Amino acid sequence: LHIDMMDGHFVPNIAFGPSLIKSLRCHVDAFMDVHAMVDDPLKWANEVSAARVNQFTFHIETTEYPRTICRRLHDLGMRAGIALKPSTPVSAIVPFLDSVDSVTVMSVEPGFAGQKFLPEVMDKVKALRELRQDLDICVDGGMKEGEPIEAAAEAGANVVVAATAIFPSL
């Protein structure tokens, strides 16, 4: 279960804070990945961990210390994920690939549902798959049945986020 957490700073919207995630956990016994679209990922790590989240995915664009964040997430018992905006090159995270369990490649600009899939980011997925065969690679945004999902899988992604494909009114 992929949950978008937004603080209104990194992206202009606000969605799903730690208390709501904790309440949801009481009713859902599924793998939970919190996609933290927030300015200060470390600020939220303890609260999200207390909600018994399995994976915390933060944006590389929000920190100068991604390895420190990954170490803290692992210390809290969560998997560490890094997300890349469409304009951020893979080279921004290559030094930290040994610290992460997952990389989320955004195929839309973060923060707004219902955007059109950006196929050009599939080159990032291919590059990541070449760099690390065992890495979970997620594509998030614009996923609809057919071409985008097939393109993501062919590029090497093993996880897709399909919010509006499942809930069109988002």
Side-chain angles (χ1 to χ4, degrees):
L1 182 60
H2 179 95
I3 302 168
D4 285 341
M5 184 173 84
M6 304 177 204
D7 65 358
H9 297 283
F10 179 65
V11 295
N13 285 333
I14 296 174
F16 294 108
S19 24
L20 186 59
I21 295 165
K22 190 172 186 177
S23 295
L24 182 61
R25 175 50 92 192
C26 294
H27 304 284
V28 176
D29 187 30
F31 182 90
M32 283 184 159
D33 173 22
V34 168
H35 178 190
M37 290 177 266
V38 298
D39 267 349
D40 184 0
L42 273 179
K43 173 183 172 184
W44 302 98
N46 287 339
E47 283 185 84
V48 170
S49 173
R52 297 179 313 159
V53 165
N54 305 92
Q55 179 170 291
F56 186 99
T57 300
F58 64 95
H59 274 266
I60 190 70
E61 301 88 0
T62 64
T63 182
E64 294 179 27
Y65 308 102
R67 196 176 310 280
T68 301
I69 295 172
C70 290
R71 188 172 19 256
R72 180 67 182 143
L73 297 174
H74 287 139
D75 288 348
L76 288 168
M78 293 183 285
R79 288 171 38 108
I82 292 181
L84 296 168
K85 290 171 69 171
S87 60
T88 303
V90 168
S91 60
I93 65 164
V94 167
F96 315 108
L97 284 177
D98 63 338
S99 299
V100 300
D101 303 292
S102 175
V103 173
T104 296
V105 175
M106 296 298 300
S107 49
V108 298
E109 286 301 322
F112 299 95
Q115 297 177 63
K116 186 175 165 89
F117 173 73
L118 300 172
E120 59 269 24
V121 302
M122 291 305 98
D123 289 339
K124 292 181 189 185
V125 175
K126 289 176 187 171
L128 287 163
R129 183 54 66 216
E130 288 175 13
L131 290 167
R132 242 186 87 188
Q133 291 296 312
D134 65 328
L135 183 66
D136 280 336
I137 302 173
C138 173
V139 176
D140 182 357
M143 291 286 113
K144 293 187 169 66
E145 188 176 347
E147 182 193 335
I149 292 174
E150 290 171 12
E154 286 174 17
N158 61 321
V159 179
V160 295
V161 175
T164 52
I166 297 168
F167 304 104
S169 61
L170 285 178

